[in-house]
């Protein structure tokens, strides 16, 4: 062998003839089953290959590959393993000159076949499979960096290589699960096809460039589909964990796009399959956070929200084909619910990986998808439509809550832009109690920037606030601007939610948290005064009970007010205020414990029916609070003014009964107080037709006005001076006569009801009436 190597190195032009001769000998020995000579010939070829790195090695390699192929074609496992080992040695050699004509198609196919070996003997089967994996690894190493070689990333190669590796990852042999001695265990670990397949897959994906990711991931998705591996989702998650950690971080978003496309393609598959894909997406998103989620962030959320809407549709119709209304598959509602929960969780995972400004965009995007009566989103009519709307609203608000939980932004103005806040708060006026609770939770997660939320999860009147260990920062300038802009809107919605009959304990806990968090996070002196006024107005709702609330609702509102004022008095540290609140709470403990949270917000609340006969001592009095806080420098005028919510068009658009009543009540009060209520014309009924007519008419009027202006301009440009002067003179005369009439009316007294007053001489006498006694029409009075 030494002489042969020396000869080959001395005369490299002879290498191809040496290779051809050895190849001929080997083929003959294989066919004659002389395996000893086969091993010798292969050893000789290996050593020559390792020693000779000259220009003319290409022709020698042809002979070598021909011999390896011959061994791999053999049915003898030992020959296959021998051929693979030689090929692996060859794969590790870096050639000086590229080869234009070499093909590895046969090797990819054969090694893939070996990876799927089903030999009866377990040890032999393991060895063959491991040889197959090593062979594929060799092919990848040999071809991946050489542009002139066959492109290993082509689909025809990837469709063989990737499933072969996944097959070995998936099948952990039973024999490996036995517990051998530690030394054997270490050896087994080294020899495990699963470990080797994972290493090979990681190496393959690690070498994938931007344009090759798609071809590498597609076979994975097809393999998981074909073998129904989405449903337990353990293997699918494991696969994508390997993929996400192996590829270059900047390519992460390509994998996520592939998964989203696959989810769309499977939109009519079983809910368990879709849930599996979504779970994998969720895992992938968390890993992708270290790289990038890509430029099409909103497209990701759009796809997930579309799937959510489809799932709601499937659950309601019981069919995958909504148009036909017939389906061969039975849809299980609980599975669809699981899928919806998985989508919501994934939306949260995705959002948590994004920077703050993109999270803001995503929340606005989700909120714009929520169908509300006051929005452009179509709201369907009929019972089925209402069901669909309600489910869509709940699912989208759940998604929004998931995003807002991980959202951290110091500036509330950027966190809650006006358009977003308006839509969110309009959802707070819905009749559905669950939707209102979601809106409150979303607002709380925005406002709570120091993690104080959990400290207010139970409502109580604690005597020492220091045990809560609250994190309080001074209200920033941006927060002050935010409350100036949106404060009244927030108070109004809190007030209106308090009036809802369908509120349960969770609503009162959320309202309590909301009030406390505004006091801690966003409150300056003015906001604190407004919040105290608001809570006293809420006490009045329960006291007067115009809305016919139940005993529980009334007691809950009293208890809510007591708990809030107890904490806020300790926060303001005004001793007289604390004393007044403490006295009222003590009085309630003696006479009316059912007005305190400790008796109301329990599993079995102790209530009283006689809420209309309460003594004055159990109430917090606005005059008293105004007096004690006014003495400490607070705005006593503002404190003594009762809080009245502003009514807006939004109330008319919402379907809430109580809002409608409030508006009609306000109109009634106005009309009672108006001196000219008899003269008022009945309000015109506004219908679709009248609105349409108004729009059409306004367009027509605008056209006429535009035409008139054009004529006036044209007249002044073209008419002779005399005509313009005459026209203006006539206008001036007309104006003067009108003014004269007005002066006469104001100077002359209005006619007396019993005729004119005549003087002794029989002449009518003009009495000048003072201006403050004159009756002016309503429109003239400001």
């Amino acid at each position: 062998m030494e002489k042969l190597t020396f000869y080959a190195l001395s005369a490299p032009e002879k290498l191809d003839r040496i290779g051809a001769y050895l190849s001929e000998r080997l083929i003959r020995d294989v066919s004659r089953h002389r395996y000893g000579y086969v091993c010798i010939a292969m050893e000789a070829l290996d050593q020559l290959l390792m020693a000779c790195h000259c220009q003319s090695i290409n022709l020698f390699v042809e002979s070598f590959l021909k011999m390896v192929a011959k061994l791999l074609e053999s049915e003898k496992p030992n020959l296959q393993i021998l051929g693979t080992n030689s090929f692996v040695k060859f794969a590790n050699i870096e050639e000086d000159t590229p080869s234009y004509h070499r093909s590895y198609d046969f090797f990819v196919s054969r090694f893939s076949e070996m990876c799927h070996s089903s030999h009866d003997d377990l040890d032999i089967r393991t060895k063959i499979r491991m040889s197959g994996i090593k062979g594929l690894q060799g092919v990848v190493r040999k071809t991946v960096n050489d542009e002139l070689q066959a492109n290993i990333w082509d689909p025809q190669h990837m469709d063989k290589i990737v499933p072969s590796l996944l097959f070995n990852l998936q099948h952990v042999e039973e024999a490996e699960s036995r517990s051998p001695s530690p030394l054997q265990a270490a050896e087994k670990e080294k020899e495990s096809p699963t470990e080797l397949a994972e290493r090979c897959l990681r190496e393959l994906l690690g070498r994938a460039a931007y344009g090759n990711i798609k071809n590498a991931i597609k076979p994975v998705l097809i393999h998981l589909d074909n073998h129904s591996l989405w449903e337990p989702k353990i293997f699918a998650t494991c696969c994508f964990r390997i993929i996400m950690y192996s590829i270059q971080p900047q390519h992460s978003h390509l994998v996520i796009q592939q998964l989203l496309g696959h989810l769309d393609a499977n939109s009519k598959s079983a809910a368990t399959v879709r849930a599996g894909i979504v779970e994998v997406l969720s895992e992938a998103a968390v890993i992708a956070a270290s790289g990038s989620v890509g430029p099409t962030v909103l497209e990701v959320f759009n796809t997930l929200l579309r799937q959510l809407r489809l799932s709601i549709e499937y659950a309601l119709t019981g069919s995958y084909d909504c148009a036909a209304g017939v389906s061969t598959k039975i849809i299980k509602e609980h599975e669809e619910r699981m899928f919806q929960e998985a989508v919501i969780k994934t939306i949260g995972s995705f959002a948590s990986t994004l920077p703050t400004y993109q999270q803001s965009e995503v929340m606005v995007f989700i909120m714009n998808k929520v169908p509300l009566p006051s929005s452009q989103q179509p709201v369907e009519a009929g019972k089925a439509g209402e069901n669909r709307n309600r489910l869509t609203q709940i699912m989208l608000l759940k998604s929004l809550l998931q995003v807002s939980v991980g959202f951290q932004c110091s500036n509330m103005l950027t966190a809650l832009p006006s358009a977003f806040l308006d839509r969110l708060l309009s959802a707070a006026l819905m009749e559905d109690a669950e939707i209102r609770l979601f809106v409150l939770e979303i607002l709380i997660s925005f406002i709570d920037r120091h993690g104080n939320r959990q400290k207010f999860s139970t409502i109580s009147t604690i005597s020492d606030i220091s045990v809560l260990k609250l994190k309080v920062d001074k209200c920033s300038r941006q927060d002050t601007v935010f409350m100036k802009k949106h404060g009244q809107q927030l108070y109004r919605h809190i007030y209106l939610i308090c009036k809802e009959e369908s509120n349960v304990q969770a609503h009162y806990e959320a309202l309590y948290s909301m009030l406390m968090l505004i006091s801690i996070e966003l409150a300056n002196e003015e906001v604190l005064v407004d919040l105290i006024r608001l809570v006293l107005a809420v006490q009045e709702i329960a006291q007067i009970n115009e809305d016919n609330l139940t005993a529980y609702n009334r007691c809950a509102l009293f208890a809510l007010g007591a708990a809030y004022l107890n904490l806020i008095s300790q926060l303001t540290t005004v001793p007289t205020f604390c004393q007044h609140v403490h006295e009222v709470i003590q009085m309630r403990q003696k006479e009316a414990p059912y007005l305190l949270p400790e008796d109301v917000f329990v599993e079995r609340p102790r209530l009283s029916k006689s809420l209309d006969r309460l003594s004055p001592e159990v109430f917090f009095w606005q005059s008293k609070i105004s007096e004690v806080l006014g003495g400490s420098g607070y705005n006593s005028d503002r404190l003594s003014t009762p809080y009245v919510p502003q009514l807006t068009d939004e109330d008319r658009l919402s379907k809430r009964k109580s809002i409608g009543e409030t508006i009609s009540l306000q109109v009634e009060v106005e009309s009672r107080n108006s001196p000219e209520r008899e003269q008022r014309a009945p309000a015109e009924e506004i219908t679709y037709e009248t609105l349409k007519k108004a729009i059409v008419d306004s367009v027509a009027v605008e056209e006429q006005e535009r035409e008139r202006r054009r004529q006036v301009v044209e007249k002044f440009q073209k008419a002779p001076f005399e005509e313009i002067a005459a026209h203006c003179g006539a206008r001036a005369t007309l104006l003067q006569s009108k003014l004269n009439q007005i002066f006469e009316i104001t100077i002359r007294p209005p006619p007396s009801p019993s005729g004119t007053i005549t003087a002794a001489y029989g002449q009518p006498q003009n009495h000048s009436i003072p201006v403050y006694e004159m009756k002016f029409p309503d429109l003239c009075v400001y």
Side-chain angles (χ1 to χ4, degrees), residues 512-531:
Y512 174 64
S513 297
M514 179 98 163
L515 287 165
M516 282 314 304
L517 288 167
I518 293 173
S519 308
I520 292 169
E521 297 276 355
L522 306 169
N524 53 16
E525 195 177 295
E526 192 183 322
V527 171
L528 219 54
V529 166
D530 282 343
L531 286 169

Side-chain angles (χ1 to χ4, degrees), residues 456 462 465 468 512 516 562-571:
F456 306 120
I462 55 169
I465 198 173
L468 293 176
Y512 174 64
M516 282 314 304
Y564 175 74
L565 289 172
N566 172 55
L567 279 188
I568 207 70
S569 64
Q570 294 180 55
L571 273 176

Side-chain angles (χ1 to χ4, degrees), residues 537-653:
V538 168
Q539 178 186 261
E540 200 178 333
I541 293 172
Q543 199 177 338
I544 298 167
N545 197 24
E546 286 177 345
D547 297 280
N548 296 322
L549 297 172
T550 62
Y552 173 75
N553 292 133
R554 292 177 72 187
C555 287
L557 291 178
F558 279 125
L560 176 70
Y564 175 74
L565 289 172
N566 172 55
L567 279 188
I568 207 70
S569 64
Q570 294 180 55
L571 273 176
T572 53
T573 62
V574 177
T576 45
F577 183 26
C578 290
Q579 190 185 344
H580 170 64
V581 172
H582 187 60
E583 282 169 5
V584 174
I585 289 171
Q586 275 191 325
M587 189 58 73
R588 285 189 182 185
Q589 282 168 346
K590 283 181 196 169
E591 292 187 12
Y594 45 81
L595 301 184
L596 291 171
E598 286 77 9
D599 274 34
V600 179
F601 301 117
V602 287
E603 200 173 330
R604 291 181 182 173
R606 292 183 285 281
L607 308 173
S608 169
K609 301 286 180 190
S610 59
L611 291 172
D612 296 322
R613 294 191 296 278
L614 295 168
S615 67
E617 288 84 11
V618 298
F619 297 123
F620 299 99
W621 291 100
Q622 189 144 5
S623 54
K624 179 73 176 166
I625 292 173
S626 171
E627 183 188 318
V628 295
L629 285 178
S632 299
Y634 286 84
N635 186 340
S636 57
D637 291 345
R638 194 173 177 82
L639 267 167
S640 55
T641 313
Y643 172 77
V644 180
Q646 303 163 347
L647 287 156
T648 64
D649 292 340
E650 178 189 45
D651 302 326
R652 295 174 177 84
L653 289 165

Side-chain angles (χ1 to χ4, degrees), residues 345-356:
K345 181 186 156 204
T346 304
I347 286 172
S349 298
F350 260 119
S352 64
T353 67
L354 301 174
T356 308

Side-chain angles (χ1 to χ4, degrees), residues 98-152:
S99 169
Y100 301 92
H101 50 78
R102 206 178 292 158
S103 169
Y104 292 100
D105 292 11
F106 165 77
F107 293 101
V108 171
S109 302
R110 185 66 188 131
F111 288 137
S112 299
E113 201 179 315
M114 285 166 72
C115 287
H116 290 84
S117 168
S118 54
H119 199 282
D120 297 335
D121 189 322
L122 179 62
D123 284 339
I124 293 172
R125 181 163 75 227
T126 304
K127 282 178 182 172
I128 293 172
R129 285 187 182 180
M130 286 187 69
S131 289
I133 298 165
K134 284 176 186 170
L136 288 176
Q137 197 174 21
V139 173
V140 171
R141 281 180 185 170
K142 199 70 190 161
T143 56
V144 81
N145 291 327
D146 193 347
E147 290 177 9
L148 297 168
Q149 301 279 16
N151 189 359
I152 201 71

